[in-house]
Amino acid sequence: QVQLEESGGGLAQAGGSLRLSCAASGSGLSITYMGWYRQSPGKQRELVARISSVGNANYGDSVKGRFTVSRDKAKNTIDLQMTNLNPEDTGVYYCTVINEGSHYWGQGTQVTVSS
């Protein structure tokens, strides 16, 4: 079983920045991918960014060049630095990991960007 603890998020103005963090815990972790998805009002959940165990990162098209994902493999943590935020970035952001082939999700943290 994997537990995910998310932190960060909150309210920002357009053009501002926020940072999200997520820590995974559990016994015998063997995490391949860690990442962030988001669900905006009226939209399906979408990939924001994910990073593999060897540091290969993928980003959703709408956040490329603005968001940066990083991972501490030893600590099983992932951070998402979000810059140049816009109101379309508003949504619930979910931390996710793939551990031994199983997908785990955090409870989500709200990000609200005002214009």
Side-chain angles (χ1 to χ4, degrees), residues 2-4 22-24 29 31-35 76 78 95-99 101-106:
V2 178
Q3 292 79 44
L4 300 175
C22 176
L29 293 179
I31 295 173
T32 50
Y33 281 93
M34 300 187 77
N76 290 311
I78 182 175
C95 177
T96 182
V97 303
I98 297 177
N99 182 72
S102 296
H103 221 146
Y104 297 86
W105 296 89

Side-chain angles (χ1 to χ4, degrees), residues 54-71:
V54 295
N56 294 324
N58 300 106
Y59 295 89
D61 288 341
S62 63
V63 307
K64 286 179 181 176
R66 300 188 297 121
F67 292 10
T68 302
V69 65
S70 58
R71 175 177 176 178

